[in-house]
Amino acid sequence: MSATETLKRHLTRWMQVSTWDTLHPLDQQRFHRALAACFDELGPGIDYDQFETAMLELLTELHPTGQPVDRSERIRPWAMRAEAIGSYLFDNDRRS
């Protein structure tokens, strides 16, 4: 299984909920649990582009729209946050 497919498998738990990108505590909890699963399986060295690709594909698959929409703006803060958390874990030699 490719890294993108592995990321998508874990991130689906968070992004399948319609409120996935809110600051609601349950959405935040799902986000952090999904990241923990990603880092447990792939390690903390996942970069922004990998998160962005997986999140964009998932957003299109889970929440399709009939109109052309630039979804990268919606994904950008989450991919940046995921990469920052991974960098912190990598720098501190932790995975969970």
Side-chain angles (χ1 to χ4, degrees):
M1 180 177 287
S2 73
T4 299
E5 291 302 316
T6 299
L7 288 171
K8 286 171 60 175
R9 181 168 41 89
H10 294 304
L11 294 173
T12 295
R13 300 172 189 165
W14 161 58
M15 292 184 73
Q16 69 187 355
V17 179
S18 64
T19 60
W20 67 272
D21 60 341
T22 71
L23 296 176
H24 189 279
L26 292 177
D27 293 316
Q28 296 294 304
Q29 183 181 58
R30 280 188 288 274
F31 174 71
H32 289 111
R33 285 186 177 164
L35 287 185
C38 292
F39 296 135
D40 283 345
E41 188 164 342
L42 298 173
I46 306 164
D47 66 25
Y48 173 87
D49 291 334
Q50 291 173 297
F51 278 117
E52 181 185 48
T53 298
M55 289 177 185
L56 283 170
E57 287 181 16
L58 267 178
L59 186 56
T60 299
E61 292 169 15
L62 297 172
H63 306 285
T65 179
Q67 301 175 352
V69 176
D70 181 10
R71 295 168 174 253
S72 59
E73 288 299 318
R74 193 169 176 194
I75 293 296
R76 182 172 289 118
W78 299 99
M80 289 174 60
R81 190 170 173 194
E83 182 185 43
I85 292 169
S87 293
Y88 172 83
L89 295 174
F90 182 82
D91 290 347
N92 290 284
D93 195 30
R94 298 181 194 160
R95 293 191 183 200
S96 59

